[in-house]
Amino acid sequence: SDQMLDTPTNNFATLNPLDSYINYLKEGNLEAMHDSTSYLSVRGTLAPPTGKWYYEAYIETVTTYAHFGVSNVKEDNSDRLQDEPNSWWYRTDGSTSYNSGTSENASLTAPSDDDIVQVAYDMDAGKIWFGVNNSWILSGDPAAGSNEVYSGLSGTLAPTLVLYYQLDPITMNFGQDSSFAGNKTAQGNQDANDIGDFYYTPPSGFLAL
């Protein structure tokens, strides 16, 4: 699980230690933990301004609130990035939120231990979808571009993880390791360009970062 698919011409995103306030990054900057009772964040290394993108996150144990989504690289992530403008989120209590912490959809089924959260976002149409274990919430269909959780995405957006006292790791997969550092059995699913190693097949048209 420690051998990645990166090459000099095909380099996958990771969590960015230069754009992070999370306490612990491990496993090639794909695994994050946080032992403070405060909300702190880490963004990914790639933020394409156009195109359709997909990533996954493995939750070993749900402890408190983890936010999965995207945020503008120009926003300060030193404190409560989920409350900043130009950010869109799904979190482990089963709620969603967007710009400046506006909460919606508070009664969704929350993910559990050993679950995989999925994020698909379309920078051209300005839409984002969230899923758990290959079931897209709110009847979303990223491939068809319908029933998105949020529209109106804009800015230079990077995949982002916000944690609050998360003592067990959250492990990201931007296409390099569907075993999530050996926690799951690798599935080997690729995007439409035959790139990546995902646990679930990315929605049609959505690519690895």
Side-chain angles (χ1 to χ4, degrees), residues 6-207:
D6 284 30
T7 71
T9 57
N10 184 41
N11 197 244
F12 290 91
T14 67
L15 299 175
N16 188 352
L18 302 179
D19 192 12
S20 173
Y21 286 84
I22 297 294
N23 294 57
Y24 304 103
L25 294 178
K26 298 172 59 180
E27 295 293 341
N29 294 324
L30 293 174
E31 184 179 283
M33 293 184 292
H34 181 52
D35 64 0
S36 172
T37 53
S38 59
Y39 288 98
L40 293 177
S41 59
V42 54
R43 279 186 283 243
T45 53
L46 299 179
T50 62
K52 299 178 180 181
W53 309 102
Y54 172 80
Y55 73 88
E56 302 171 331
Y58 170 71
I59 306 172
E60 180 176 319
T61 306
V62 177
T63 54
T64 49
Y65 300 130
H67 293 68
F68 307 90
V70 293
S71 67
N72 194 309
V73 298
K74 296 181 180 180
E75 299 295 340
D76 180 12
N77 75 343
S78 62
D79 182 48
R80 299 188 67 89
L81 185 58
Q82 73 276 17
D83 292 340
E84 294 291 334
N86 302 305
S87 61
W88 293 264
W89 309 97
Y90 172 69
R91 73 180 196 177
T92 48
D93 66 349
S95 68
T96 68
S97 63
Y98 68 105
N99 293 347
S100 303
T102 304
S103 295
E104 292 187 330
N105 306 313
S107 59
L108 302 174
T109 301
S112 302
D113 298 353
D114 202 44
D115 279 352
I116 294 172
V117 171
Q118 300 160 273
V119 180
Y121 59 105
D122 183 342
M123 291 301 301
D124 300 318
K127 297 179 178 181
I128 191 167
W129 295 262
F130 303 108
V132 180
N133 299 336
N134 218 27
S135 178
W136 296 96
I137 68 173
L138 300 174
S139 302
D141 188 345
S146 62
N147 295 334
E148 67 276 4
V149 178
Y150 293 115
S151 60
L153 274 68
S154 63
T156 304
L157 305 181
T160 307
L161 178 65
V162 179
L163 300 180
Y164 178 92
Y165 202 61
Q166 181 72 37
L167 296 180
D168 290 320
I170 301 288
T171 307
M172 311 298 287
N173 177 26
F174 299 102
Q176 60 269 81
D177 178 23
S178 67
S179 80
F180 299 95
N183 287 290
K184 304 286 276 187
T185 300
Q187 299 299 303
N189 292 298
Q190 296 182 309
D191 67 19
N193 291 334
D194 297 325
I195 290 175
D197 172 22
F198 289 105
Y199 197 85
Y200 296 110
T201 302
S204 178
F206 287 77
L207 304 177

